[in-house]
Amino acid sequence: MQKIEVYLIDNTTIDININIIGVGGPPPPPHMRGPPPGHHPHHNPNMHPPPPQHQMQQMQQQRPPQQRPPPPAPPKHILRVPTAIFDENHLPSVLHQPNPMTPEAERQARRRTCRFIEEAGQRSLRMPRVAISTATVFFHRFYAKHAFQEHDRFEVAMACLLLAGKTEEAPKKLDFVIRECWKLRRKAQQASQQRQLSQQGGDESPASLSGVSPHNTGMSPSTTSSSKIDIDPKSEEYIRLKERVLLLERIILHTIGFELSIEHPYKYLVDCVQSLNKKRLLEYSKIPDNGKNKDKSALNALMVQDLAQNSMNFANDSMHTSLCLQFTAREVGLTCVYLGGKYSNIRPINNKMWIELFDGISIEYMTSIALQILELVQPKKGVKVVDSEMAFKMIRKDLEEMSRLEKQKKEEQGSSEPDAKRQKT
């Protein structure tokens, strides 16, 4: 036992008695005692003592050398395939069993539902253009990992509109979204029924004509045949639909990995048009009728307006395709500027090619994007067939000419560019 004096702040002292083990105090308890001297933790009295050092060296020399595995080879440089590569033949809806869809049917399902999203968001819900485009991107990303056979596409569209409104700071109430979307679907079904009656018993059903099926929409046959457009908010069908839309909203969030920040082609489209106008790199190949009597400044303003408007229209049409899964927003925006320029009879100055005005996009990518958009908008209603066909033929011819010149240029330089992302089916 040892006594220690501790001085406090007020110069008072206290005595503390401590036991120092091994100095003079009592022995420690058995569980705190160390092993006896010379003890080895793995010692076994039944085992023979180890051989001397010189015998160990002789035994190691006599032992045959072990065959060690060869060292791993240095990693080779692997070309990473871009994650945006898109193959229609490997989509979940096409691979779904036992009732797979064809790639063409899958594209048609996307287009019809995207038209529904645009109609519901623009006219019924009064949502901004960016929110509608965001909902469309959510829809495309969702069905890139899920099959159309697993979830009703119109219910998914409602959930995408609901989520996009929150993302783009234009929220809409769930009840309002369900009522307006239901009303829009009912109008489409009634129009299909009228077309069927006018055809006097055609082979196609109203569901196939409008892309809406009573079994695929959650509507009962009695509700479908009824002339009532609005849904009763107190009905069981409304309650079940509300629960499904809320559940699908959570499924969409998990499917897209909570990636809510979406880039659209509009930003790059506007920046490109402004840059080309600032550098004075464009001119009319054929002055329109409303610009023949204008001076140079007014004609340039008209050219910029036509280019921006037509490019924006092509960008809106591109949202009905799966281009947002295949290419970046910048690549789609630049291609829409090219299509808008060709459709507006605008060309680069000094006989340059359009591809020479764009940075960061190859002719293969631009050709693939342009052909997919043309495939969508060519049979579009409300456009003069003769003018549209002539414009599309000129665009295809120009794309072929640019591809030929770019290929010849690459052969001379000995460089190679990646192929287009989309595999034509």
Side-chain angles (χ1 to χ4, degrees):
M1 185 76 66
Q2 185 175 357
K3 181 181 294 185
I4 298 179
E5 292 184 355
V6 179
Y7 291 88
L8 302 180
I9 298 178
D10 55 353
N11 295 327
T12 59
T13 62
I14 59 174
D15 297 337
I16 300 177
N17 298 326
I18 60 173
N19 289 330
I20 301 178
I21 299 176
V23 176
H31 67 277
M32 296 181 61
R33 299 174 186 174
H39 174 75
H40 194 272
H42 301 287
H43 175 69
N44 190 347
N46 297 327
M47 294 178 61
H48 298 284
Q53 186 69 19
H54 66 278
Q55 293 184 4
M56 290 287 293
Q57 295 177 358
Q58 292 178 0
M59 293 171 62
Q60 292 178 359
Q61 293 176 359
Q62 295 175 0
R63 185 179 302 170
Q66 298 181 355
Q67 296 181 356
R68 297 181 179 180
K76 298 181 180 180
H77 180 67
I78 301 176
L79 294 176
R80 295 178 178 267
V81 180
T83 55
I85 285 183
F86 182 80
D87 188 2
E88 293 177 330
N89 296 295
H90 291 81
L91 289 174
S93 301
V94 179
L95 299 178
H96 189 272
Q97 295 297 332
N99 52 342
M101 298 175 66
T102 61
E104 176 63 26
E106 207 270 351
R107 285 200 300 270
Q108 290 296 331
R110 287 180 182 270
R111 293 173 184 177
R112 290 178 178 178
T113 318
C114 289
R115 285 196 294 268
F116 173 80
I117 292 176
E118 183 171 0
E119 186 77 12
Q122 187 172 2
R123 296 189 179 183
S124 301
L125 302 178
R126 304 291 182 181
M127 299 177 69
R129 179 72 239 184
V130 177
I132 299 173
S133 300
T134 300
T136 308
V137 174
F138 288 162
F139 174 81
H140 285 302
R141 291 186 179 182
F142 179 82
Y143 279 111
K145 296 185 178 180
H146 297 274
F148 281 100
Q149 298 88 335
E150 298 174 351
H151 303 279
D152 177 67
R153 55 194 174 101
F154 291 98
E155 294 177 358
V156 174
M158 294 182 195
C160 290
L161 286 168
L162 183 66
L163 182 60
K166 301 175 184 178
T167 303
E168 301 298 340
E169 298 181 357
K172 302 294 179 181
K173 292 184 178 180
L174 176 61
D175 296 337
F176 181 61
V177 173
I178 292 177
R179 289 198 308 267
E180 294 300 322
C181 291
W182 178 280
K183 188 185 301 182
L184 182 62
R185 293 165 68 182
R186 288 290 299 123
K187 289 180 180 179
Q189 285 182 340
Q190 290 184 0
S192 300
Q193 291 176 356
Q194 292 178 359
R195 286 196 300 267
Q196 185 188 24
L197 293 176
S198 62
Q199 294 175 359
Q200 295 181 356
D203 295 335
E204 293 186 348
S205 63
S208 62
L209 290 172
S210 63
V212 181
S213 172
H215 304 286
N216 198 29
T217 60
M219 300 181 183
S220 61
S222 59
T223 307
T224 305
S225 59
S226 175
S227 60
K228 184 178 180 181
I229 294 179
D230 297 328
I231 185 173
D232 185 8
K234 297 182 180 179
S235 63
E236 296 182 359
E237 183 60 37
Y238 178 84
I239 297 174
R240 288 196 297 268
L241 181 59
K242 186 176 182 179
E243 293 175 353
R244 287 197 298 268
V245 172
L246 290 175
L247 177 61
L248 282 171
E249 184 184 17
R250 295 193 294 269
I251 296 176
I252 292 171
L253 282 172
H254 286 278
T255 302
I256 65 177
F258 292 86
E259 186 178 352
L260 301 177
S261 179
I262 306 297
E263 281 192 343
H264 297 295
Y266 310 114
K267 171 186 175 182
Y268 302 98
L269 182 154
V270 174
D271 293 343
C272 181
V273 172
Q274 291 178 350
S275 176
L276 295 177
N277 178 48
K278 184 178 181 180
K279 297 177 182 178
R280 296 289 190 262
L281 296 176
L282 300 176
E283 64 181 2
Y284 269 120
S285 60
K286 180 181 177 182
I287 299 178
D289 296 336
N290 57 348
K292 291 182 178 180
N293 298 326
K294 295 185 178 181
D295 57 0
K296 187 175 181 180
S297 177
L299 185 63
N300 182 74
L302 178 63
M303 181 182 65
V304 173
Q305 181 181 357
D306 290 345
L307 178 60
Q309 183 61 51
N310 288 318
S311 302
M312 196 72 67
N313 293 338
F314 280 110
N316 292 335
D317 292 330
S318 71
M319 304 307 299
H320 294 184
T321 67
S322 57
L323 287 173
C324 61
L325 304 177
Q326 308 174 48
F327 303 93
T328 63
R330 187 175 187 274
E331 293 170 342
V332 177
L334 294 179
T335 306
C336 292
V337 173
Y338 163 74
L339 293 174
K342 295 297 295 183
Y343 199 76
S344 305
N345 294 322
I346 299 174
R347 65 186 178 186
I349 61 174
N350 300 328
N351 294 326
K352 290 185 177 181
M353 296 187 300
W354 278 95
I355 192 63
E356 298 177 3
L357 306 182
F358 302 145
D359 295 330
I361 184 173
S362 64
I363 184 62
E364 289 83 5
Y365 285 7
M366 192 169 74
T367 302
S368 179
I369 297 172
L371 291 179
Q372 292 184 61
I373 296 178
L374 293 179
E375 179 185 350
L376 173 71
V377 303
Q378 188 165 1
K380 200 171 184 180
K381 297 181 180 180
V383 182
K384 293 182 180 179
V385 179
V386 179
D387 296 341
S388 63
E389 288 183 354
M390 288 295 295
F392 294 145
K393 287 181 180 179
M394 291 176 58
I395 292 174
R396 289 177 181 270
K397 184 178 179 180
D398 186 66
L399 288 170
E400 293 175 358
E401 182 66 17
M402 283 195 299
S403 300
R404 186 186 65 81
L405 294 176
E406 283 293 314
K407 185 178 180 181
Q408 182 180 357
K409 184 178 179 180
K410 282 188 275 187
E411 290 177 353
E412 294 175 355
Q413 296 178 354
S415 61
S416 61
E417 292 288 340
D419 297 332
K421 291 183 179 180
R422 187 194 190 204
Q423 297 181 7
K424 190 69 177 177
T425 57

